[in-house]
Amino acid sequence: MITLNLEGTNNTRDLGGYKTSDGKELRYNLFFRSDNTDNLTEADIKKLKEKYKLKRVIDLRYSSEIKASPDKLRNIPDIEYYNIPLIISKTQMKNLIKGHIDLGDAYIESLSQKDMVKKIFDTISDVEDGAILFHCTNGKDRTGTVSALLLGLNGVSKEDIINNYSMTYELIKNNESVKKGIEKYGTDVIFKSEPEYMRKLIEYIESHFGNVENYLLSCGISQKNLDKIKCRFKN
């Protein structure tokens, strides 16, 4: 795991370095997963622009979250900002808190948002130079799902995808949003990143679509755009 060690985030990570099923290695400094950017410092923004060549940001949050804590990267010159929300419904949240479902079930339900998934991957596919950063609030659920799909598309092993996800809680447990959420809901269950949650998502994709690429094709993403992502990401 390579973290970017920014002052204003706890969970900004490079998805590069993983081995793929065809014996290649994912390139560094292309795709970053992150928690919210609302506390980024000027030094962080300079680092993202100059060292990491950040060109595009995909904010996976919904409008009320953005209004409460705007993305610091939204109006930065030479960085393109896109808001493409993946929604965790209020019903899902209630069922999670009550223990009727677990986060793996919520991730599986998010796969039905195929129009949003298509927009996300089409937006990823047409960047030719520089890096892309995608994030939600804590960089765990919506960001974790997109990370799993991106890694799976590129042939990263199931165990590596699960490990990339499961380390998240240790990085975000001191986030103010997590502390407030635990206080609000009276439980930390929705903030955990247990391996079985991601395993459930991957196994669902395998059983219903065969692999991640087939799922993404079912969202209406062209083979050309998927191939562009794969060619850019692999050494």
Side-chain angles (χ1 to χ4, degrees), residues 185-222:
Y185 298 117
T187 178
D188 65 354
V189 65
I190 62 173
F191 300 103
K192 291 294 185 68
S193 55
E194 302 294 350
E196 58 263 29
Y197 302 156
M198 184 54 62
R199 188 178 302 278
K200 181 179 285 191
L201 173 66
I202 296 170
E203 291 180 350
Y204 176 88
I205 292 172
E206 290 175 342
S207 65
H208 286 75
F209 299 95
N211 56 42
V212 168
E213 184 160 350
N214 287 339
Y215 163 72
L216 293 172
L217 288 168
S218 80
C219 294
I221 306 164
S222 69

Side-chain angles (χ1 to χ4, degrees), residues 18-54:
Y18 287 104
K19 300 294 183 182
T20 66
S21 56
D22 55 1
K24 296 183 179 181
E25 182 178 284
L26 299 187
R27 292 189 177 100
Y28 290 103
N29 299 332
L30 287 180
F31 296 103
F32 304 127
R33 57 175 296 171
S34 184
D35 47 347
N36 196 10
T37 67
D38 60 335
N39 290 315
L40 287 180
T41 65
E42 290 299 320
D44 289 334
I45 295 171
K46 182 178 180 181
K47 186 176 185 179
L48 286 168
K49 287 189 68 174
E50 295 183 3
K51 180 177 180 178
Y52 294 109
K53 311 300 181 186
L54 182 64

Side-chain angles (χ1 to χ4, degrees), residues 87-118:
I87 304 300
I88 297 178
S89 69
K90 291 181 179 179
T91 299
Q92 281 181 313
M93 188 64 72
K94 289 178 181 178
N95 286 331
L96 285 165
I97 293 167
K98 291 178 181 179
H100 296 162
I101 64 172
D102 64 31
L103 281 167
D105 299 309
Y107 300 160
I108 289 169
E109 187 170 328
S110 73
L111 296 179
S112 66
Q113 299 176 53
K114 290 188 173 184
D115 55 340
M116 294 294 103
V117 174
K118 182 180 188 304

Side-chain angles (χ1 to χ4, degrees), residues 57-94:
V57 173
I58 301 174
D59 189 340
L60 302 171
R61 300 174 300 157
Y62 32 95
S63 58
S64 61
E65 294 174 284
I66 294 170
K67 185 177 181 180
S69 54
D71 193 318
K72 279 281 185 70
L73 297 168
R74 185 168 187 167
N75 296 306
I76 302 298
D78 302 319
I79 295 179
E80 299 172 333
Y81 171 88
Y82 293 81
N83 176 217
I84 310 174
L86 286 177
I87 304 300
I88 297 178
S89 69
K90 291 181 179 179
T91 299
Q92 281 181 313
M93 188 64 72
K94 289 178 181 178

Side-chain angles (χ1 to χ4, degrees), residues 213 222-232:
E213 184 160 350
S222 69
Q223 186 68 60
K224 178 181 178 180
N225 280 355
L226 294 179
D227 288 344
K228 284 169 67 177
I229 295 171
K230 290 188 289 183
C231 288
R232 187 160 188 256

